[in-house]
Amino acid sequence: MECHGTPMMKLQDRVAVITGAGGHLGCGIALRLAADGARIAVNDRSLQEGSKTLNLISAQGGQALACVADVTKTPDVNEMISQVKKQWGRIDILVNNAGGPRDALLVKMSDEDWDSVVDLNLKGSFICARAVAPHMIEQGGGRIINISSTAYTGKNIGQVNYASAKAGVVGLTRALGLELARYGITVNCVAPGLISTPKTRAYQKKILDRLIEAIPMRRMGEIADIANAVLFFTTDEARYITRQVLHVSGGVVDL
């Protein structure tokens, strides 16, 4: 017996806010969720970068809204959430993807190196979660997915700030998941390992070879691997999963 027809899109008509969606990883997540029917609020600090993602979503037939905001600033985030609510009337999914490192050895790490990384990776996730939570509570549910990194285990030299911030994201995930579970809101975390991006592919060959050698699967992951993990946490199949950290790392588990 054969089945025909178009597969049902799992996120049809749901609204997702994705921070840092102008970057390579954020763009990949946005495109994946849009392909499954979600309407995407594309956040970035740069209109130029965010517009690239918005145009790609539109080109594949999806709906998207550009939201220029600095996630470390509460007024910016509150204005962004108001913009999304005005456009689509609801917010079902928040992906706290905005982040990045600023590496330096401890003795050479400035206050600015520390503050900028902690603010972007951890404080930004807190501010965005705080802004969307009342709307999700009012709706009777929602999904928050935080992007951490396997760096939270403290396995890399020169990343005291980044490891601390990403470990904080894990703690944030577990604390928020406990607090919001009663409202039908799940909070989960995806921790990427070494992922193939223009930045990682530009590493010196000997450095890249050494990093790949430490991965049990002996290869880098793809942006699609992270996007698929995020998608899973947004779907009904994950409705009873919360406060979890999923390593997408080719088998690297360094706890």
Side-chain angles (χ1 to χ4, degrees):
M1 179 178 178
E2 295 184 5
C3 295
H4 300 280
T6 302
M8 183 177 68
M9 290 190 287
K10 295 179 179 181
L11 304 181
Q12 188 67 50
D13 297 326
R14 296 185 191 178
V15 175
V17 176
I18 302 176
T19 68
H24 295 288
L25 181 56
C27 179
I29 294 169
L31 289 169
R32 185 67 188 88
L33 269 57
D36 240 273
R39 292 171 285 184
I40 308 296
V42 176
N43 162 259
D44 203 90
R45 284 185 291 190
S46 164
L47 178 60
Q48 181 180 1
E49 294 301 314
S51 294
K52 293 177 183 177
T53 299
L54 186 145
N55 291 336
L56 288 171
I57 293 171
S58 299
Q60 71 178 23
Q63 297 184 56
L65 173 69
C67 297
V68 178
D70 182 341
V71 297
T72 70
K73 301 184 183 303
T74 294
D76 278 21
V77 172
N78 288 342
E79 175 60 29
M80 173 177 69
I81 298 306
S82 296
Q83 182 185 0
V84 177
K85 283 280 289 186
K86 182 178 180 180
Q87 178 75 16
W88 288 314
R90 60 185 299 113
I91 297 172
D92 302 285
I93 299 161
L94 168 65
V95 181
N96 278 316
N97 167 74
R102 187 168 174 173
D103 296 353
L105 294 175
L106 174 64
V107 295
K108 296 183 178 180
M109 186 173 289
S110 66
D111 288 357
E112 184 183 0
D113 291 335
W114 174 273
D115 290 342
S116 63
V117 169
V118 172
D119 282 357
L120 179 58
N121 291 275
L122 181 55
K123 184 180 179 181
S125 297
F126 156 71
I127 290 174
C128 291
R130 183 179 61 184
V132 302
H135 303 287
M136 291 182 175
I137 291 170
E138 183 180 4
Q139 291 165 191
R143 305 297 169 87
I144 298 174
I145 299 93
N146 299 319
I147 305 299
S148 181
S149 166
T150 56
Y152 85 86
T153 61
K155 65 188 181 67
N156 299 324
I157 292 174
Q159 292 194 329
V160 168
N161 50 359
Y162 189 60
S164 299
K166 289 305 191 183
V169 170
V170 172
L172 178 74
T173 298
R174 290 175 173 157
L176 283 180
L178 178 63
E179 187 171 327
L180 299 177
R182 72 193 71 181
Y183 303 111
I185 301 169
T186 66
V187 187
N188 290 291
C189 182
V190 174
L194 184 64
I195 303 301
S196 179
T197 66
K199 182 178 179 180
T200 56
R201 291 194 295 271
Y203 288 170
Q204 292 181 14
K205 186 179 183 303
K206 64 180 181 179
I207 294 175
L208 189 57
D209 288 346
R210 186 172 71 248
L211 292 172
I212 291 174
E213 181 66 24
I215 301 171
M217 294 187 73
R218 297 295 190 271
R219 65 175 179 84
M220 289 192 287
E222 302 293 334
I223 288 174
D225 297 318
I226 307 304
N228 287 331
V230 172
L231 174 66
F232 169 68
F233 280 133
T234 68
T235 64
D236 290 339
E237 284 87 345
R239 66 184 180 272
Y240 198 56
I241 301 173
T242 193
R243 306 179 70 207
Q244 302 303 306
V245 180
L246 176 59
H247 287 218
V248 184
S249 60
V252 175
V253 180
D254 182 17
L255 298 176

